[in-house]
């Protein structure tokens, strides 16, 4: 079917043509995968325009600029995959020594600005570009967040600072190594010194690094007698820790004297702590033995036969056995009377004047009363009622007084 257009044409305003043109151009750009700006400005202005941030974007955080090094460095020894280790040469405690190391205290003593050799050892070769970092930190928890630096007096002085590439505030310097790099963290402010790792030379197993410590431990405004630790780490080029060793350091005027004083002090402390612990152990063990002995005596009903050689020893042991079995039948007033008699006898013996003796069998002047035996202290009615069944618990209430009294009585009988 054919439709013919009539002569009337639809008229469009200029604004309508403009809108249609924009829509057509947008459709074409969408089909072509491109995009254009509908801004009335020209293209040059659009290219120089700065894109505004999205209202949904997160605000900038301080974590974006965090330091790769931790705020509180670890001081735990870590051998790592290469068995990293730090050691010192044999040193003495002489007063003339410029440095000395105590293996007992794991502590380095050295004079200010004096050469201190430290030996580095690994069992397997670290990756190419590995470095050795030395960093000082305070030992105590209340000071560990502070950065260890030199005191203002040494930092501003011309001594030890003129002609040095190291910054004057750094405590640790490396001697004889032109590749040393002094680093100060921009976030934490901690200062350290880096040297490239060098494998040991032929015939040796250590790599030696010469360190200098540029401030005394007693300097006011610096360490101010606060103990410090030196953390030596083996790291990759990008800062990954492959090994860590830590030791305490004291920079002083007389390293040998201070080391000897510290070692003597710690030894005395160990002796005191050992004596206290041994005394406590004796008390605890004594209590355990007494309680165990009481339990055994209260529950043990076994009968044992003891072969004895000699009539005299046999009779003494029989009397001890009888005393132990009869001790439970003694009333309290009898025990008090026995104690009084024993005290009177001891007083008489001590008050008697010493007589000259003429030979081993010289008779003594006067007569000494003998203490009665345990069997004599019990009345005949109680003695007749004793049977094996009644004496089965006889060892339960044995007191230390019974042992002492019977031992004294046996001794007097034997001497008589």
């Amino acid at each position: 079917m054919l439709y013919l257009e009539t002569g009337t044409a639809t008229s469009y305003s200029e604004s309508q043509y403009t809108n249609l043109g924009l829509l057509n151009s947008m459709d074409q750009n969408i089909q072509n995968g491109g995009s254009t700006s509908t801004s009335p400005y020209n293209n040059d202005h659009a290219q120089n325009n700065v894109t505004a941030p999205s209202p949904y974007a997160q605000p900038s955080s301080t974590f974006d600029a965090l330091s790769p090094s931790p705020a509180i460095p670890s001081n735990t020894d870590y051998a790592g995959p290469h068995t990293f280790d730090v050691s010192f040469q044999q040193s003495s405690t002489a007063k003339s020594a410029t440095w000395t190391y105590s293996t007992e205290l794991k502590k380095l003593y050295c004079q200010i600005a004096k050469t201190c050799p430290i030996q580095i050892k690994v069992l397997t070769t670290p990756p190419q570009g590995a470095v050795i970092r030395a960093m000082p930190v305070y030992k105590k928890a209340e000071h560990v967040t502070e950065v260890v630096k030199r005191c203002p007096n040494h930092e501003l002085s011309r001594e030890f600072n003129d002609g040095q590439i190291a910054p004057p505030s750094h405590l640790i310097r490396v001697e004889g190594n032109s590749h040393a790099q002094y680093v100060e963290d921009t976030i934490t402010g901690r200062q350290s010194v880096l040297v490239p790792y060098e494998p040991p030379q032929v015939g040796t197993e250590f790599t030696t690094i010469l360190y200098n410590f540029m401030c005394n431990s007693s300097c006011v405004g610096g360490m101010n007698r606060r103990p410090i630790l030196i953390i030596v780490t083996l790291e990759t080029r990008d800062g990954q820790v492959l090994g860590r060793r830590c030791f305490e350091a004291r920079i002083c005027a007389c390293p040998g004297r201070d080391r000897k004083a510290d070692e003597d002090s710690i030894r005395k402390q160990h002796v005191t702590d050992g004596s206290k612990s041994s005394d406590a152990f004796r008390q605890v063990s004594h209590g355990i033995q007494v309680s165990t002995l009481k339990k055994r005596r209260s529950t043990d009903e076994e009968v044992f036969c003891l072969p004895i050689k000699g009539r005299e020893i046999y009779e003494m042991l029989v009397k001890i056995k009888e005393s132990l079995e009869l001790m439970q039948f003694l009333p309290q007033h009898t025990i008090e009377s026995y104690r009084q008699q024993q005290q009177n006898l001891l007083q008489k013996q001590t008050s008697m004047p010493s007589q000259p003796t003429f030979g081993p069998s010289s008779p003594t002047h006067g007569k000494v009363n003998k203490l009665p035996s345990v069997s004599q202290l019990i009345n005949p009615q109680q003695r007749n009622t004793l049977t094996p069944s009644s004496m089965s618990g006889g060892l339960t209430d044995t007191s230390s007084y019974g042992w002492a009294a019977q031992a004294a009585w046996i001794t007097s009988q034997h001497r008589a």
Side-chain angles (χ1 to χ4, degrees):
M1 183 178 292
L2 180 63
Y3 292 94
L4 298 176
E5 181 180 1
T6 60
T8 62
T10 305
S11 63
Y12 296 94
S13 62
E14 185 178 358
S15 61
Q16 288 177 338
Y17 279 113
T18 304
N19 293 335
L20 289 174
L22 290 175
L23 291 175
N24 292 333
S25 62
M26 291 176 63
D27 292 339
Q28 291 177 0
N29 288 328
I30 292 175
Q31 292 177 359
N32 297 331
S35 61
T36 59
S37 173
T38 60
S39 173
Y41 300 100
N42 54 19
N43 293 335
D44 296 338
H45 185 81
Q47 291 176 359
N48 297 329
N49 188 22
V50 179
T51 305
S54 172
Y56 302 101
Q58 295 294 330
S60 60
S61 174
T62 56
F63 293 100
D64 296 338
L66 274 182
S67 170
S69 61
I72 301 178
S74 174
N75 57 7
T76 304
D77 287 343
Y78 169 63
H82 304 284
T83 318
F84 176 71
D85 192 18
V86 172
S87 61
F88 295 84
Q89 300 174 359
Q90 189 69 24
S91 58
S92 65
T93 58
K95 292 184 178 181
S96 59
T98 57
W99 72 272
T100 181
Y101 181 78
S102 173
T103 55
E104 182 179 359
L105 302 177
K106 200 177 178 183
K107 187 174 182 179
L108 173 67
Y109 302 82
C110 63
Q111 293 180 353
I112 182 173
K114 296 297 183 180
T115 304
C116 181
I118 297 181
Q119 298 174 337
I120 305 298
K121 180 181 178 181
V122 292
L123 292 185
T124 58
T125 304
Q128 187 71 21
V131 295
I132 304 294
R133 181 192 300 269
M135 176 188 297
V137 296
Y138 285 110
K139 181 179 180 181
K140 293 185 178 180
E142 56 266 30
H143 307 137
V144 71
T145 56
E146 299 183 33
V147 179
V148 181
K149 293 184 177 181
R150 300 175 72 190
C151 69
N153 184 28
H154 286 110
E155 181 180 354
L156 300 177
S157 175
R158 298 183 61 181
E159 185 181 12
F160 308 128
N161 291 331
D162 290 346
Q164 298 291 329
I165 62 174
S169 62
H170 277 242
L171 175 67
I172 305 178
R173 294 179 181 176
V174 174
E175 180 182 348
N177 193 327
S178 59
H179 300 287
Q181 181 181 359
Y182 298 89
V183 180
E184 181 172 348
D185 194 284
T186 57
I187 304 300
T188 63
R190 296 195 180 274
Q191 299 175 344
S192 59
V193 56
L194 303 175
V195 292
Y197 169 78
E198 298 177 0
Q201 300 180 17
V202 178
T204 61
E205 56 182 355
F206 300 101
T207 300
T208 303
I209 303 177
L210 305 179
Y211 286 105
N212 299 146
F213 299 91
M214 307 307 298
C215 197
N216 287 320
S217 297
S218 58
C219 284
V220 178
M223 290 175 278
N224 198 14
R225 300 187 183 278
R226 294 177 292 180
I228 65 170
L229 300 174
I230 307 300
I231 302 176
V232 182
T233 54
L234 174 66
E235 303 179 5
T236 60
R237 184 180 301 176
D238 55 355
Q240 181 183 357
V241 177
L242 302 177
R244 183 190 308 110
R245 294 297 176 183
C246 180
F247 57 88
E248 187 175 353
R250 174 179 174 83
I251 302 96
C252 52
C254 190
R257 178 198 61 192
D258 292 352
R259 173 189 169 183
K260 188 176 183 301
D262 289 348
E263 289 179 345
D264 292 342
S265 176
I266 199 69
R267 285 167 188 161
K268 291 179 181 179
Q269 184 178 356
H270 288 339
V271 170
T272 304
D273 296 343
S275 61
K276 290 181 180 179
S277 60
S278 62
D279 292 341
F281 177 75
R282 289 194 195 99
Q283 294 178 359
V284 173
S285 61
H286 178 69
I288 294 175
Q289 290 176 359
V290 170
S291 60
T292 306
L293 185 61
K294 289 182 179 180
K295 290 180 180 180
R296 289 179 180 176
R297 286 177 176 175
S298 60
T299 58
D300 195 358
E301 297 181 357
E302 295 184 66
V303 179
F304 298 93
C305 296
L306 180 64
I308 302 171
K309 184 178 181 181
R311 169 66 62 177
E312 185 178 3
I313 300 178
Y314 168 75
E315 292 177 353
M316 292 174 63
L317 294 177
V318 168
K319 291 178 181 179
I320 294 176
K321 169 183 172 295
E322 292 177 353
S323 300
L324 292 174
E325 293 176 345
L326 298 176
M327 185 60 66
Q328 62 173 336
F329 298 101
L330 290 177
Q332 186 65 28
H333 66 86
T334 306
I335 295 177
E336 297 296 335
S337 176
Y338 187 90
R339 290 177 178 173
Q340 188 63 33
Q341 293 179 11
Q342 185 182 19
Q343 186 176 3
N344 295 337
L345 177 60
L346 294 176
Q347 291 178 356
K348 289 180 181 180
Q349 291 180 350
T350 54
S351 61
M352 289 178 59
S354 58
Q355 300 292 336
T357 58
F358 303 93
S361 61
S362 175
T364 59
H365 296 278
K367 184 177 181 181
V368 181
N369 295 329
K370 297 180 180 179
L371 294 177
S373 64
V374 178
S375 59
Q376 293 175 355
L377 296 176
I378 302 177
N379 53 44
Q381 289 80 5
Q382 291 178 336
R383 192 183 300 115
N384 295 333
T385 58
L386 293 178
T387 60
S389 60
S390 65
M391 293 188 298
S392 60
L395 299 179
T396 306
D397 300 328
T398 303
S399 62
S400 60
Y401 162 74
W403 285 92
Q406 187 61 25
W409 179 81
I410 292 174
T411 305
S412 61
Q413 289 289 99
H414 180 64
R415 292 178 178 177

